[in-house]
């Protein structure tokens, strides 16, 4: 059973819909204790870093997530804000992140007015053959992005994915049992379906 | 590179898909879910779904329809229509909708926009603004009360942008549903004004028209009639540019 963490942020229905489409059962979970019954976890979110961390802390998710993800190595996929929360901190807020990966979250800044913020729309993602999320796919991979912040200075992970918006930025990573993507697989048609399938079968 | 988006705009009246012309209902098109399935199969970039009845009749969004709609979509969907409270926004988002468009409430009480952005984040809230020309000036149009707002459009825009909103959706009232082509002067004016993504809708009549619109640098171009009608007699036929046609419209050179 795949658990989709409901910590009050983001649209979780779409993830469940896409998982259902690829034949996977999932449960949107509001009680942290229920996570212990699940084989894989999805932590998604859209919203502010501080609100995200505060909700995780106040609703009792942090200890359970640390136990399962860090101690028990349960596979987890972070999506958008979910991935950013896995870093050390964000320029957006004052809260510390989960610190599961050595990276920080920063805001896009452009002098050129042609680059609008948020980064919103379909963009390309490049990856290398070490990636499990992109196992057995062709090199053209497009996903839907909607974010104003991105992760950077990422160290010590197994592989990272890259996207270009003005400059190149890290649009995802894999580190042992932990994966994070800046984009929204649940809103990216067949590209997203394949990625979620790989998360289920290759992690 | 980030591609501009080509976005069908679907109009709902109760449970029916309809098309409008200058904001008046023009034609019954069919079942919204079937239409959506076709667009989903065609892997469209994004969909905007607007309930034109909910605001007018001051009713809640049609949650049952939205739920069915969302369960069939694997691309982003923006929903607009009758959104007046934060609770309604939360309910619609939980059904699987990515973004909420606020139109009428924006003109009635702009504080609501500020509250919505604060609660749900700037990526989730879109302000939908209707523009009509009056005596050579562009003005904001309130379609429920059928009146033109007296305040200066740019003052209004500054207040909207100040809310931290993530995206803007503009509809050209004079050309909406007419297939007479986009107003490029207006597109240019709006694109130069804003640092946030904007989507423009109203009058789009051909793939060439879409191409000319995105060449101004807007983030998304939207149309209804273009994707719903076919031929001289406006027969109903759901269509969308093929991947090859999309490449031509979005012109590799212009991508960021």
């Amino acid at each position: 059973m795949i658990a989709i963490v409901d910590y009050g942020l983001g649209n979780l229905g779409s993830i469940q819909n896409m998982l259902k489409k690829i034949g996977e059962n999932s449960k949107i979970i509001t009680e942290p204790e229920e996570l212990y019954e699940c084989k894989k976890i999805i932590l998604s979110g859209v919203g502010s870093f501080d609100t995200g961390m505060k909700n995780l802390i106040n609703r009792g998710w942090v200890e359970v997530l640390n136990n399962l993800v860090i101690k028990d190595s349960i596979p987890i996929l972070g999506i958008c804000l979910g991935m950013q929360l896995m870093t050390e901190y964000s320029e957006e807020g004052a809260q510390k992140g989960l610190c599961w990966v050595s990276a920080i979250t920063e805001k896009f800044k452009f002098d050129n007015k042609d680059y609008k913020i948020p980064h919103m729309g379909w963009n390309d993602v490049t990856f290398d053959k070490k990636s499990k999320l992109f196992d057995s796919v062709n090199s053209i991979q497009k996903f839907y992005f909607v974010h104003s912040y991105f992760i950077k200075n990422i160290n010590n992970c197994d592989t990272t994915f890259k996207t270009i918006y003005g400059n190149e930025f890290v649009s995802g990573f894999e580190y042992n049992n932990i994966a994070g993507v800046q984009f929204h697989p649940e809103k990216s048609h067949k590209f997203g379906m394949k990625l979620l399938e790989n998360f289920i079968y290759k992690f | 590179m980030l591609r501009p988006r080509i976005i069908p705009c679907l109009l709902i009246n109760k449970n029916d898909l309809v098309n409008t012309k200058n904001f008046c209902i023009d034609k019954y098109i069919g079942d919204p879910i079937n239409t959506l399935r076709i667009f989903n199969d065609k892997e469209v970039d994004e969909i905007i779904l607007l309930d034109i009845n909910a605001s007018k009749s001051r009713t809640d969004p049609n949650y049952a329809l939205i739920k069915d709609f969302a369960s069939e979509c694997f691309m982003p969907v923006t929903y607009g229509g009758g959104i007046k409270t934060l609770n309604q926004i939360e309910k619609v988002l939980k059904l699987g909708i990515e973004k909420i468009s606020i139109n009428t409430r924006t003109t009635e009480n702009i504080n609501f926009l500020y509250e919505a952005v604060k609660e749900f984040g700037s990526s989730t809230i879109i302000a939908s603004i209707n523009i009509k020309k009056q005596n050579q000036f562009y003005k904001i149009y309130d379609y429920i009360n059928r009146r033109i707002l007296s305040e200066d459009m740019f003052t209004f825009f500054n207040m909207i942008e100040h809310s931290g909103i993530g995206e803007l959706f503009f509809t050209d009232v004079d050309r909406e549903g007419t297939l007479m082509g986009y107003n490029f002067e207006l597109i240019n004016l709006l694109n130069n004004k804003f640092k946030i993504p904007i989507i423009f809708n109203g009058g789009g009549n051909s793939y060439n028209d879409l191409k000319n619109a995105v060449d101004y640098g807007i983030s998304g171009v939207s149309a209804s009639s273009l994707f719903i009608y076919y031929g001289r007699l406006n027969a109903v036929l759901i269509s969308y540019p093929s991947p090859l046609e999309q490449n031509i419209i979005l012109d590799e050179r212009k991508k960021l």
Side-chain angles (χ1 to χ4, degrees):
Chain A
M1 174 67 77
I2 298 158
I4 303 170
V5 174
D6 181 355
Y7 59 112
L9 288 183
N11 158 17
L12 308 176
S14 307
I15 301 172
Q16 192 161 53
N17 286 338
M18 188 173 266
L19 286 171
K20 192 166 161 195
K21 179 86 180 171
I22 61 176
E24 280 304 315
N25 281 331
S26 63
K27 198 170 175 206
I28 295 178
I29 291 196
T30 47
E31 297 300 324
E33 293 302 305
E34 288 184 83
L35 269 186
Y36 287 110
E37 298 158 27
C38 298
K39 292 214 151 67
K40 288 196 161 83
I41 305 170
I42 294 182
L43 180 71
S44 180
V46 174
S48 86
F49 191 91
D50 275 6
T51 305
M53 276 316 298
K54 281 188 194 147
N55 285 7
L56 285 180
I57 294 167
N58 295 340
R59 298 178 193 202
W61 291 100
V62 179
E63 193 184 329
V64 177
L65 283 169
N66 280 334
N67 282 341
L68 289 170
V69 175
I70 304 301
K71 286 208 194 108
D72 298 344
S73 298
I74 300 291
I76 184 166
L77 175 67
I79 297 175
C80 200
L81 177 68
M83 174 184 78
Q84 293 174 357
L85 294 176
M86 295 174 171
T87 63
E88 287 159 355
Y89 67 88
S90 170
E91 193 190 329
E92 183 183 8
Q95 291 280 333
K96 216 171 68 155
L98 292 164
C99 302
W100 291 344
V101 65
S102 168
I104 62 170
T105 300
E106 208 176 85
K107 189 166 190 179
F108 279 121
K109 289 176 198 72
F110 296 111
D111 293 324
N112 184 343
K113 226 164 52 78
D114 286 340
Y115 290 94
K116 313 287 184 189
I117 299 171
H119 173 218
M120 191 176 307
W122 291 81
N123 205 337
D124 303 309
V125 175
T126 53
F127 54 93
D128 65 33
K129 57 183 189 294
K130 282 190 252 164
S131 167
K132 290 188 266 190
L133 288 181
F134 287 112
D135 188 78
S136 311
V137 297
N138 71 40
S139 58
I140 312 276
Q141 294 293 311
K142 293 192 241 268
F143 290 87
Y144 195 88
F145 286 81
V146 52
H147 61 121
S148 307
Y149 292 79
F150 62 100
I151 68 169
K152 66 183 272 188
N153 298 348
I154 189 164
N155 291 315
N156 299 332
C157 49
D158 303 327
T159 184
T160 58
F161 319 139
K162 306 281 189 350
T163 294
I164 298 177
Y165 188 52
N167 307 307
E168 192 179 72
F169 71 92
V170 172
S171 50
F173 70 88
E174 290 171 32
Y175 176 48
N176 295 335
N177 56 308
I178 305 171
V181 293
Q182 183 63 70
F183 45 84
H184 289 269
E186 75 279 14
K187 290 288 121 180
S188 301
H189 287 299
K190 59 179 185 247
F191 301 102
M193 285 185 216
K194 184 63 185 172
L195 187 140
L196 288 180
E197 222 174 74
N198 279 344
F199 174 61
I200 292 162
Y201 296 112
K202 310 284 176 185
F203 258 80
Chain B
M1 307 291 177
L2 181 71
R3 287 160 65 107
R5 293 158 283 154
I6 301 170
I7 308 175
C9 177
L10 302 183
L11 306 172
I12 308 281
N13 183 35
K14 311 235 173 75
N15 286 308
D16 299 329
L17 188 67
V18 298
N19 211 27
T20 57
K21 197 184 236 176
N22 305 123
F23 280 69
C24 296
I25 294 182
D26 188 52
K27 198 164 174 170
Y28 164 78
I29 302 297
D31 174 57
I33 305 297
N34 279 339
T35 305
L36 175 70
R37 281 200 190 110
I38 298 172
F39 280 129
N40 193 51
D41 286 343
K42 290 178 186 293
E43 295 185 356
V44 306
D45 291 340
E46 191 167 328
I47 293 263
I48 294 175
L49 176 70
L50 300 178
D51 185 333
I52 60 177
N53 179 58
S55 270
K56 256 195 190 120
S57 49
R58 305 266 169 199
T59 51
D60 261 347
N62 185 341
Y63 296 117
L65 182 67
I66 295 170
K67 184 172 184 192
D68 284 342
F69 207 82
S71 67
E72 299 273 350
C73 273
F74 298 111
M75 63 278 188
V77 177
T78 297
Y79 171 81
I83 297 287
K84 292 179 289 299
T85 69
L86 299 181
N87 194 36
Q88 286 171 327
I89 296 180
E90 188 177 351
K91 275 170 100 157
V92 174
L93 291 174
K94 276 207 158 95
L95 294 171
I97 297 292
E98 261 54 56
K99 297 185 258 182
I100 301 293
S101 161
I102 303 175
N103 181 322
T104 307
R105 204 81 181 101
T106 301
T107 48
E108 283 175 356
N109 174 13
I110 199 161
N111 283 324
F112 178 62
L113 204 66
Y114 281 64
E115 282 164 22
V117 172
K118 189 158 173 244
E119 179 72 18
F120 299 103
S122 58
S123 318
T124 308
I125 307 292
I126 293 192
S128 163
I129 301 168
N130 309 322
I131 302 202
K132 191 169 175 41
K133 207 164 191 181
Q134 185 191 52
N135 301 331
Q136 304 311 309
F137 292 106
Y138 291 113
K139 295 287 211 178
I140 313 285
Y141 180 70
D142 166 4
Y143 79 98
I144 299 290
N145 300 306
R146 303 218 166 264
R147 66 183 184 104
I148 289 179
L149 266 55
S150 54
E151 67 221 274
D152 171 60
M153 190 168 81
F154 286 98
T155 309
F156 187 71
F157 286 167
N158 288 339
M159 289 201 301
I160 300 235
E161 207 168 11
H162 199 60
S163 69
I165 204 146
E167 192 170 52
L168 294 162
F169 176 63
F170 290 101
T171 300
D172 182 346
V173 177
D174 297 318
R175 296 197 184 204
E176 187 271 322
T178 63
L179 289 165
M180 58 188 281
Y182 290 115
N183 177 343
F184 297 115
E185 176 194 72
L186 182 54
I187 291 180
N188 194 35
L189 191 77
L190 296 170
N191 189 54
N192 284 336
K193 161 79 186 128
F194 293 102
K195 294 191 207 74
I196 60 178
I198 71 173
I199 302 171
F200 190 88
N201 181 41
N205 65 8
S206 64
Y207 292 171
N208 207 44
D209 218 25
L210 296 175
K211 179 173 171 42
N212 290 331
V214 301
D215 280 355
Y216 279 93
I218 53 177
S219 304
V221 61
S222 180
S224 299
S225 306
L226 175 62
F227 301 125
I228 285 171
Y229 292 142
Y230 181 78
R232 254 186 333 109
L233 303 174
N234 284 350
V236 173
L237 180 76
I238 306 302
S239 67
Y240 191 78
S242 67
L244 185 61
E245 285 165 330
Q246 286 174 47
N247 283 342
I248 297 171
I249 293 165
L250 302 175
D251 191 344
E252 300 295 316
R253 280 180 294 123
K254 300 285 197 307
K255 287 195 300 188
L256 292 177

